[in-house]
Amino acid sequence: PWRMLDAPEGGTLEQGQAPDARPALRIQAGPVTAASWRARVYLERGRYRFEGAARLAGVAPLPFGRNQGAGLRVAGHRQARPYQFIGDSPWRTLTVDFEVTEPVEAVDLVCELRARQGVVWFDLESLRVVRRP
């Protein structure tokens, strides 16, 4: 189950539908937003990709921070490159690769918005973890 973290002042997090009626996790930015939806999964040692589709409307980045706009990440795992998904965009597939080094690890999947305005929808049916070779 997805849970909210850091609901922004002047913004909202809700589970509902995107404008095209897809089931979605929605984050509406307030003036200073670093909010996310998170889900914990337990994975065995290996290489993985967390992927899913997101759609944006009017997302303006914060003037600070490595990651800007909307993105996917895995808590506690360093990203190869920061995400920079801002502005207006139709559905786009986002991905982040990561590795589990313990025999079994609790991993927090993160759908995040770091912005000063705008809305992101994460397509619930597209969010998944795939094992990589």
Side-chain angles (χ1 to χ4, degrees):
W2 291 92
R3 64 191 189 283
M4 297 179 244
L5 191 71
D6 299 325
E9 191 170 319
T12 56
L13 280 87
E14 60 190 19
Q15 192 165 334
Q17 289 187 331
D20 62 0
R22 291 188 200 194
L25 301 173
R26 179 180 179 271
I27 304 175
Q28 166 79 52
V32 180
T33 299
S36 62
W37 285 95
R38 294 176 184 234
R40 178 162 288 169
V41 295
Y42 293 87
L43 299 172
E44 296 177 353
R45 180 180 289 125
R47 292 158 31 105
Y48 296 90
R49 171 170 290 146
F50 172 35
E51 62 185 26
R55 174 179 174 165
L56 301 182
V59 172
L62 293 171
F64 56 87
R66 183 170 185 259
N67 292 313
Q68 292 294 328
L72 301 180
R73 65 183 182 85
V74 177
H77 289 259
R78 181 97 172 129
Q79 295 164 249
R81 61 188 186 283
Y83 59 77
Q84 301 281 327
F85 190 27
I86 60 174
D88 295 295
S89 175
W91 292 108
R92 181 169 129 191
T93 299
L94 308 178
T95 64
V96 60
D97 293 335
F98 65 100
E99 190 167 349
V100 171
T101 55
E102 300 298 318
V104 175
E105 187 178 321
V107 174
D108 283 326
L109 307 174
V110 181
C111 298
E112 188 167 54
L113 179 64
R114 295 182 44 80
R116 56 189 162 82
Q117 70 182 41
V119 185
V120 61
W121 294 268
F122 294 97
D123 178 353
L124 263 173
E125 294 174 350
S126 72
L127 295 169
R128 64 183 178 207
V129 174
V130 179
R131 188 183 267 277
R132 298 185 302 136

